Amino acid sequence: MTDLEARIAQVVWNDDGLAPAIVQQWDTHEVLMLAWVDAEALRRTLTTGRVTYWSRSRQEYWRKGDTSGNIQRIHEARLDCDGDAILLLVDQTGPACHTGTRTCFDAADLEAVDGVHE
């Protein structure tokens, strides 16, 4: 087993062979989006410098930016402590969200109580 395959084998995949990928801008740590990867998408991401995901709705790979021009270049990929979630630190060109906004997390505020100041 190669070093790359050993790193990919550390991921705990769900029943569909996928793991969630949380995507952050590498320098500001702004959370941009959440998407899904399988072993092949992660392999492509780690070896090409561009982020590849698995589309659950289309059942196909998609490399961020190929159609929109909003490219994600990988800076770092980290596994969480349980091995079942991946953090991708990227350099985002243009909007990250398919709606055309910088981040997918600018929609409805769920108005949580501020636990820091209670």
Side-chain angles (χ1 to χ4, degrees), residues 82-94:
D82 296 322
D84 60 359
I86 299 165
L87 175 63
L88 299 176
L89 298 173
V90 304
D91 187 17
Q92 175 70 46
T93 300

Side-chain angles (χ1 to χ4, degrees), residues 1 3-13 39 42-43 79:
M1 181 180 300
D3 180 52
L4 172 64
E5 294 307 317
R7 285 181 276 143
I8 292 170
Q10 293 176 42
V11 179
V12 178
W13 307 103
L42 182 57
R43 185 176 295 106
L79 206 51

Side-chain angles (χ1 to χ4, degrees), residues 34-89:
L34 179 133
W36 295 88
V37 297
D38 66 1
E40 180 58 25
L42 182 57
R43 185 176 295 106
R44 292 178 187 186
T45 297
L46 297 176
T47 60
T48 67
R50 294 270 309 275
V51 182
T52 299
Y53 300 106
W54 175 254
S55 171
R56 296 178 301 163
S57 59
R58 296 187 312 265
Q59 294 290 295
E60 65 184 17
Y61 294 104
W62 57 284
R63 190 169 73 163
K64 186 70 170 165
D66 278 355
T67 57
S68 68
N70 301 321
I71 296 168
Q72 289 178 347
R73 288 187 170 81
I74 192 75
H75 271 254
E76 190 174 347
R78 297 183 137 318
L79 206 51
D80 79 339
C81 60
D82 296 322
D84 60 359
I86 299 165
L87 175 63
L88 299 176
L89 298 173

